[in-house]
Amino acid sequence: MNLPDSPAPAWRRLAAVVYDALAVVAIVMVVGLLAQFATGGTLFDTQGHLLAWWYQPLQGAVVGAYFLVSWVRGGQTLGMRPWRIRVTTADGTPVTWARGAIRLAVGALPLGLLTLYPFVSLKIALWAPAAGWAVLLLPAFIDRRRRGLHDMAAGTEIRRLP
């Protein structure tokens, strides 16, 4: 039986990930639109090559800020709210900026697998981060406190709300 404020089941965490993916898509679209306005519509050339070196780092910074600010200010992303789960430290206190930054950095590591693209097909390069995130979340299914690797590194966990 799961008591309130106990470690959240892995399925709730995965459901929140799906919801947060929708929020991230919306964030990326808004940042892309603003970048198009800022460049006068010349963000890409006629062959589809990115012209603005700052665009991808900006996207990463804005998406990272969404997660970091959500975890530090209230412990919940938009995807965590309907599933009534929250990120806390092991003793139940709010996540600090430092712990949140560690959690974010480790959680973002699978994105580095996108650099495989020059060596493998685009399909493989796009599925590689998904596989990396699965590896990060796999321990949540067997760990007593249901922590992923990024939670273990940051000293955080996902708890059910009462």
Side-chain angles (χ1 to χ4, degrees):
M1 179 173 98
N2 285 329
L3 301 172
D5 208 36
S6 65
W11 69 266
R12 282 186 190 237
R13 170 181 238 153
L14 294 175
V17 167
V18 171
Y19 279 43
D20 277 326
L22 297 173
V24 166
V25 167
I27 291 166
V28 166
M29 290 174 66
V30 169
V31 172
L33 178 66
L34 294 174
Q36 285 287 6
F37 285 144
T39 61
T42 59
L43 192 56
F44 296 91
D45 66 15
T46 55
Q47 287 81 34
H49 298 105
L50 185 62
L51 295 176
W53 64 268
W54 48 266
Y55 177 66
Q56 289 173 323
L58 176 65
Q59 287 282 20
V62 173
V63 170
Y66 159 71
F67 284 105
L68 185 58
V69 170
S70 295
W71 296 332
V72 173
R73 296 182 52 109
Q76 294 178 293
T77 60
L78 291 173
M80 297 168 106
R81 291 175 188 205
W83 297 103
R84 305 205 34 85
I85 58 178
R86 167 182 42 200
V87 179
T88 67
T89 62
D91 62 0
T93 58
V95 176
T96 63
W97 288 101
R99 286 187 190 272
I102 292 168
R103 189 173 197 273
L104 179 65
V106 174
L109 284 175
L111 288 173
L113 296 172
L114 290 171
T115 60
L116 292 173
Y117 177 56
F119 310 107
V120 298
S121 72
L122 179 60
K123 184 178 180 180
I124 292 172
L126 291 176
W127 277 104
W133 284 315
V135 169
L136 283 179
L137 291 174
L138 201 56
F141 288 97
I142 57 174
D143 181 62
R144 181 180 57 82
R145 291 177 12 215
R146 298 188 179 106
R147 298 169 298 159
L149 292 177
H150 55 302
D151 287 314
M152 292 176 187
T156 59
E157 58 187 54
I158 305 291
R159 294 179 178 227
R160 290 183 62 197
L161 292 173

